[in-house]
Amino acid sequence: MIYVDADACPVKPEVLKVAERHGLEVTLVANSGLRPSRDPMVHNVIVSGAFDAADDWIAERAGPGDIVITADVPLAGRCVRAGALVTGPTGRVFDEGNIGMATAMRDLGQHLRETGESKGYNAAFSPRDRSKFLEVLDRLCRRAKSMTPPGDTP
């Protein structure tokens, strides 16, 4: 299963294409409306508008063999700890080896924004980011499929 933190995800169409190629189900989770899909392998979940509702929904379900796509570092950390394979929409992989540093850098950036030391502008999403994401997602799909026990359908 591929879980997508979908509210501000710039790579939803790419996720659907790669998932279809690998025969994996996709669940798009958002606080607001999503465009319905006729594909039975694509599920839309609309959660309440409560703070972190989408994150909580994904974190409660993601585990070994699942892929999570999110730019949210705390959610990435929760999913990594649950054994999921996690990437951001720019192709940045989160794993046991880097989630601690990613969390520390996020916290530092938040502190700098709160104190006015940083304006906190994010870099624009580029074609290079999209390309890297596609490469990483394809690799994670192959890895997730290899983790599926024989006899189970991904």
Side-chain angles (χ1 to χ4, degrees):
M1 176 68 72
I2 300 174
Y3 294 101
V4 181
D5 186 3
D7 275 321
C9 181
V11 290
K12 289 187 285 275
E14 290 80 1
V15 171
L16 299 178
K17 285 180 187 177
V18 173
E20 181 179 19
R21 187 170 61 240
H22 285 278
L24 296 173
E25 289 185 65
V26 175
T27 300
L28 302 166
V29 185
N31 294 103
S32 58
L34 292 167
R35 176 170 286 155
S37 173
R38 293 183 179 181
D39 186 338
M41 298 289 279
V42 178
H43 314 283
N44 289 347
V45 175
I46 307 297
V47 297
S48 75
F51 186 71
D52 283 344
D55 297 356
D56 292 341
W57 195 96
I58 293 169
E60 289 167 5
R61 289 160 179 81
D66 293 326
I67 298 168
V68 175
I69 299 161
T70 184
D72 185 281
V73 174
L75 173 58
R78 293 168 69 187
C79 295
V80 165
R81 286 188 293 280
L85 305 171
V86 185
T87 185
T90 60
R92 178 183 184 189
V93 174
F94 297 100
D95 58 26
E96 289 288 342
N98 69 11
I99 195 64
M101 181 61 77
T103 301
M105 293 304 294
R106 177 212 174 260
D107 293 346
L108 175 62
Q110 181 177 1
H111 174 73
L112 293 174
R113 285 187 299 279
E114 289 170 356
T115 61
E117 296 292 320
S118 170
K119 299 289 185 221
Y121 300 120
N122 290 328
F125 188 75
S126 71
R128 185 174 181 185
D129 293 330
R130 192 175 310 279
S131 177
K132 182 177 178 190
F133 172 78
L134 285 166
E135 175 189 325
V136 166
L137 181 58
D138 192 66
R139 186 176 72 236
L140 291 179
C141 287
R142 288 192 309 272
R143 186 169 164 204
K145 287 168 55 176
S146 74
M147 295 170 68
T148 304
D152 285 356
T153 358

